[in-house]
Amino acid sequence: DPLAVEELAMDRARLLLARYGVVCRDMLGREAAALGWLAVFRALRRMELSGEVVSGAFFAGLSGPQFAQAEAVRLLAGGLGGDAPWWLAGRDPAALWGFGGGEGEITLPRRLAGTFVAFAGPRPVGVFEAGGGRIRLALAPDDAGLPAALSPVVDLHGRRVSPLPRVAVATRNGEP
């Protein structure tokens, strides 16, 4: 049934929008074919015509067009304020580094298992590779934000599911 196929494509587009917030061709390159750009593009255009999503160029360095829900556009327009700490695992679908844009003080890693990036607001302040074995920090040792920047390592050791018995740090900022 062609109508059912189109509804399924729209449901998949909604899933991607819920996952990423903003969707474009570059971002869907690593998705399964059923969630790829060719599978959802027509549905996103149809959703745009109905007012469910908005298209535009929301982020520099990403291919266009980019699609987002109207609420996400309002949040983006408000900007990312503050320096609240947070972090992401490299394999998390929300980890969008590697799609272009400025990188700032610290070079972001490849999206691999065992890789984590700590942020202070929108700014990356720590990169943890090889399960915490290689650490790169953009903060000085006396910086008040350092404990929050090290939270991925704390989580590796203290998480409830599969905690690491120890985290052996081999290098910090390239030094043994």
Side-chain angles (χ1 to χ4, degrees), residues 54-78:
V54 178
S55 71
F58 306 114
F59 293 98
L62 293 177
S63 65
Q66 300 166 25
F67 294 89
Q69 294 173 325
E71 178 62 24
V73 173
R74 281 192 288 281
L75 288 171
L76 289 171

Side-chain angles (χ1 to χ4, degrees), residues 77-171:
L80 297 172
D83 285 335
W86 57 283
W87 61 273
L88 279 174
R91 298 285 301 269
D92 191 307
L96 297 180
W97 56 81
F99 284 114
E103 301 229 342
E105 305 170 43
I106 200 162
T107 304
L108 295 172
R110 293 181 54 211
R111 296 182 67 251
L112 301 171
T115 300
F116 307 89
V117 178
F119 294 85
R123 182 175 70 106
V125 294
V127 171
F128 306 89
E129 297 174 286
R134 292 189 307 271
I135 297 177
R136 289 183 283 128
L137 297 169
L139 301 175
D142 60 346
D143 192 298
L146 188 60
L150 293 173
S151 60
V153 175
V154 173
D155 184 70
L156 286 171
H157 182 63
R159 62 189 174 195
R160 290 182 359 167
V161 177
S162 302
L164 298 179
R166 67 186 183 104
V167 177
V169 178
T171 63

